[in-house]
Amino acid sequence: DAKTTQPPSMDCAEGRAANLPCNHSTISGNEYVYWYRQIHSQGPQYIIHGLKNNETNEMASLIITEDRKSSTLILPHATLRDTAVYYCIVRVAGSGTYKYIFGTGTRLKVLA
Amino acid sequence: DTGVSQNPRHKITKRGQNVTFRCDPISEHNRLYWYRQTLGQGPEFLTYFQNEAQLEKSRLLSDRFSAERPKGSFSTLEIQRTEQGDSAMYLCASSSSPTTYEQYFGPGTRLTVT
């Protein structure tokens, strides 16, 4: 069962910041939050991940609430190429590795 | 290109036929994963290999499904007696140890069962 809930779709104007929310209220203390995106007909692409602290890389920023029950992915200056489905994922422990539990994602459309 | 590759990219088969997909992970990655993605849904975990050992299988993986990774490099996923409900994108991912276990996904194999 999915451990995350996301809005099904969002629009964002080109050049503006895209803020994608995610709820993960049942997350456990040692479970990471990962964000991936999937452009049509391609495999998911890693964006960023975090546990407790806010994180930033060249693609995006990840803001995690103090209680860890929700997070927000921020694309600071969205471009048309950022149009994709964005997945908020909880990484859970498996047998000798970690598994991704995907939700249904948010379809982001960046508008010119 | 040194990413994860999958073949074929598309497969159309008739109900009842067997199909086999191949995944070639990033060369130094010892962990390999299979996921299934149906239309409008996120990927669902199917199975996982560490080197040649299959360590975990989802309940989604019925008896008609079998996966192998005989030499700890490439992997195959076989579906026997395909059903229309098997129509989906089958994704392969790989990761290395002991990093943060980020998984790198291939482009997927889209299966259509008619």
Side-chain angles (χ1 to χ4, degrees):
Chain A
D1 293 333
K3 300 189 77 169
T4 61
T5 55
Q6 300 174 252
S9 64
M10 293 180 64
D11 291 340
C12 177
E14 187 178 20
R16 304 296 294 268
N19 297 281
L20 291 87
C22 178
N23 288 323
H24 32 79
S25 58
T26 61
I27 196 169
S28 299
N30 59 350
E31 293 175 342
Y32 279 74
V33 176
Y34 277 67
W35 283 82
Y36 276 67
R37 72 181 183 185
Q38 189 172 27
I39 297 170
H40 183 62
S41 298
Q42 297 182 21
Q45 175 193 20
Y46 168 79
I47 301 173
I48 200 167
H49 73 278
L51 182 63
K52 297 179 184 177
N53 300 321
N54 298 337
E55 303 288 345
T56 295
N57 63 20
E58 65 277 5
M59 289 183 70
S61 295
L62 174 60
I63 308 297
I64 302 175
T65 58
E66 193 168 343
D67 62 9
R68 302 209 329 120
K69 292 186 177 181
S70 65
S71 60
T72 301
L73 178 74
I74 300 172
L75 307 178
H77 305 287
T79 71
L80 297 178
R81 285 181 293 183
D82 292 323
T83 292
V85 178
Y86 286 77
Y87 291 102
C88 172
I89 299 159
V90 170
R91 191 192 78 173
V92 302
S95 299
T97 190
Y98 295 92
K99 300 185 296 186
Y100 288 165
I101 307 298
F102 284 78
T104 53
T106 295
R107 184 173 299 276
L108 175 69
K109 185 184 292 184
V110 180
L111 306 172
Chain B
D1 187 281
T2 57
V4 178
S5 62
Q6 293 187 245
N7 288 288
R9 293 293 309 277
H10 303 274
K11 178 71 176 179
I12 300 173
T13 191
K14 292 185 177 179
R15 188 169 50 128
Q17 297 295 304
N18 299 344
V19 294
T20 300
F21 312 139
R22 175 176 170 131
C23 170
D24 287 89
I26 294 172
S27 58
E28 64 268 24
H29 286 182
N30 64 344
R31 287 166 164 77
L32 187 147
Y33 312 79
W34 285 97
Y35 291 82
R36 181 175 71 185
Q37 184 175 26
T38 53
L39 202 61
Q41 302 297 313
E44 297 172 290
F45 171 80
L46 290 178
T47 190
Y48 151 71
F49 290 87
Q50 183 170 331
N51 299 311
E52 65 275 10
Q54 187 175 18
L55 297 186
E56 188 164 348
K57 292 193 291 185
S58 163
R59 64 181 185 277
L60 296 175
L61 215 63
S62 75
D63 292 344
R64 297 184 297 105
F65 289 69
S66 63
E68 293 182 343
R69 195 182 182 198
K71 297 182 180 179
S73 56
F74 72 91
S75 175
T76 58
L77 178 68
E78 181 183 17
I79 308 175
Q80 296 182 327
R81 305 181 303 281
T82 52
E83 302 173 355
Q84 287 188 321
D86 297 331
S87 295
M89 175 78 83
Y90 290 85
L91 292 160
C92 175
S94 69
S95 69
S96 62
S97 172
T99 67
T100 55
Y101 299 96
E102 173 189 332
Q103 296 180 20
Y104 295 82
F105 283 81
T109 294
R110 180 166 295 285
L111 173 67
T112 302
V113 181
T114 61

